[in-house]
């Protein structure tokens, strides 16, 4: 994705402040009970502990929770566009990974009740977005958990640090954001380290459409009170921020790819004169996914598509799994297939292979941006080398751009331009260093080895070194982890004659201006 700078800064600051509170709470909890044994020698018998309020992410320490692993979310909602009132029940299937006296979920709406394996639990809130669940009976390691949370709220008015990740529109809403999105519509273990499958069903007034991930296990079903329930299902592991809903007035176009995959595209009826450009871009999804499959390896998911959001919706695009959502800005100057190539490249880089920690964001954005350069080459609108030269030259050596490290940009610069542009430049330098044969072997090897899992930059470097047989430490250190503009022999040679602007540049620039910040 790219595009929500200011609010992200505010949210990061608020979250960081509240993390201290959560950590302080942890320190005061009892570490365990010492009990004498039959031999009279004290031994430590660990009592069930509170689950950690976070998964230790270095940028977002309280995102996700410790002590359990979710396998499935059943999210059953009722939504009314007129009031933005969201009510629902989410049933979470999980396995305890520790003995737990209590555990946390990440959630912001008002909770009516929580049951754990049928028994009522008590709840409280903590930190910026923690729902603390204390079950009646302690949970033992390895236990299967069925956690049922009933709740209600108005997501657009539920703020954390002055911010909501939920977008209310004239005719509905978009639950589309990164990394914070789930808090406003379903309780979760909100970190890419804990992926799960989803059943998402939403009751809305008849005449309103609901689009979400995956496939429709059944057609929309009429309900009492002139309402309709829409159902969607994902059967591949999905990170919580990649689940989404688009609710409103949409034209839905369904099809099947030559390879037999269901395609669901949806276009907000509010797009007006932007509508044809949106269709001329998103209707090429199957073609672009097929082309990307030839470079990145087999497409990892069960469906494809895209959603063109409304004119009063989001100002960016997001690689929501199986079906990216695009803001209207991409269509203002005609079709833009570069953003389609970018968001669908994320299906491999970001969605199937997710960051192990948010500091590894280059593994998402660097690769999705380089996919645009490869698409430029494929379309005859400028080679990747030409796009590299022009991008490199477009940032003067003293630009602040070169001070941001794509390999460790900082929590408030996760979506900085440098992560995208210098990130793509890094991959081009890798390609030049190892040669095309090794480079195009590394990409599918990476998506195969970490399919449906997580990865780190160090693991990617190790894979690239293994396949190429080269020591790449200097290249990765220079391009991802060192401030300042790296010297590039080819660009230096051309310094006297500025590189020519590739035909693809305006579209790539347009996409990145909306995607990064
Ligand atoms: Zn992206």
């Amino acid at each position: 994705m790219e595009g929500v700078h200011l609010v992200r800064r505010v949210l990061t600051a608020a979250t960081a402040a509240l993390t201290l509170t959560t950590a302080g709470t942890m320190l005061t909890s009892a570490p365990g009970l010492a009990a004498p044994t039959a031999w009279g020698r004290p031994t430590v018998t660990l009592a069930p502990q509170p689950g950690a309020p976070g998964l230790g992410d270095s940028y977002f320490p309280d995102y996700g929770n410790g002590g359990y692993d979710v396998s499935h979310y059943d999210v059953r909602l009722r939504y009314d566009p007129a009031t933005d009132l969201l009510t629902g029940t989410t049933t979470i299937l999980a396995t305890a990974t520790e003995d737990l006296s209590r555990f946390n979920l990440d959630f912001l709406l008002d909770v009516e009740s929580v049951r754990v394996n049928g028994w009522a639990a008590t709840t409280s809130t903590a930190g910026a977005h923690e729902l603390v669940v204390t079950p009646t009976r302690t949970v033992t390691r390895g236990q299967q958990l069925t956690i049922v949370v009933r709740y209600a709220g108005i997501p657009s008015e539920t703020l954390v640090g002055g911010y909501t990740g939920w977008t209310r529109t004239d005719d509905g809403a978009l639950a589309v954001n990164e990394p914070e999105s789930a808090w406003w519509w379903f309780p979760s273990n909100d970190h890419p380290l804990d992926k799960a499958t989803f059943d998402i069903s939403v009751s809305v007034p008849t005449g309103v459409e609901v689009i979400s991930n995956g496939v429709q296990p059944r057609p929309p079903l009429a309900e009492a009170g002139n309402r309709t329930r829409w159902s969607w299902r994902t059967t591949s592991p999905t990170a919580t921020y990649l689940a989404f809903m688009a609710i409103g007035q949409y034209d839905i176009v369904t099809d099947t790819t030559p390879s037999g995959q269901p395609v669901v595209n949806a276009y907000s009826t509010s797009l007006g004169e932007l509508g044809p450009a949106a269709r001329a871009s998103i209707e090429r999804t199957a073609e672009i996914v097929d082309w990307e499959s030839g470079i990145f390896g087999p497409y990892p998911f069960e469906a494809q598509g895209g959603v063109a959001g409304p004119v009063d919706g989001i100002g960016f695009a997001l690689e929501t799994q199986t079906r990216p959502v695009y803001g209207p800005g991409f269509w203002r100057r005609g079709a833009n297939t570069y953003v389609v190539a970018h968001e669908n490249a994320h299906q491999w880089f970001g969605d199937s292979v997710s960051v192990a920690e948010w500091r590894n964001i280059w593994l998402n954005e660097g690769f999705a941006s380089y996919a645009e350069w490869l698409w430029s080459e494929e379309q005859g609108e400028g080679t990747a080398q030409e796009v590299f030269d022009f991008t490199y030259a477009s940032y003067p050596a003293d630009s602040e751009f070169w001070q941001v490290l794509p390999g460790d940009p900082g929590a408030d610069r996760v979506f900085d331009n440098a992560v995208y542009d210098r990130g793509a430049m890094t991959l081009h330098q890798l390609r030049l260093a190892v040669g095309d044969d090794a480079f195009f072997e590394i990409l599918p090897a990476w998506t195969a080895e970490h399919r449906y899992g997580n990865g780190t930059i160090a693991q990617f470097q190790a894979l690239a070194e293994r396949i190429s047989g080269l020591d790449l430490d200097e290249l990765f250190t220079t391009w991802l982890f060192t401030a300042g503009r790296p010297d590039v022999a080819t660009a230096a040679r051309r310094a006297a004659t500025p590189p020519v602007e590739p035909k693809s540049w305006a579209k790539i620039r347009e996409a990145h201006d909306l995607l990064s910040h």
Side-chain angles (χ1 to χ4, degrees), residues 163-188:
Y163 169 81
T164 175
W166 175 272
T167 305
R168 187 182 180 188
T169 65
D170 262 358
D171 59 14
L174 294 165
V176 176
N177 228 310
E178 180 186 11
E180 305 89 3
S181 176
W183 306 344
W184 290 271
W185 61 290
F186 66 97
S188 74

Side-chain angles (χ1 to χ4, degrees), residues 366-385:
F367 289 64
S369 298
Y370 196 62
E372 296 175 62
W373 297 14
L374 295 174
W375 180 241
S376 172
E377 201 160 285
E378 154 71 18
Q379 296 295 293
E381 297 194 322
T383 65
Q385 181 64 50

Side-chain angles (χ1 to χ4, degrees), residues 1 319 342 346 365 420:
M1 70 104 79
E319 59 270 24
H342 179 107
H346 274 310
E365 301 305 345
Y420 293 74

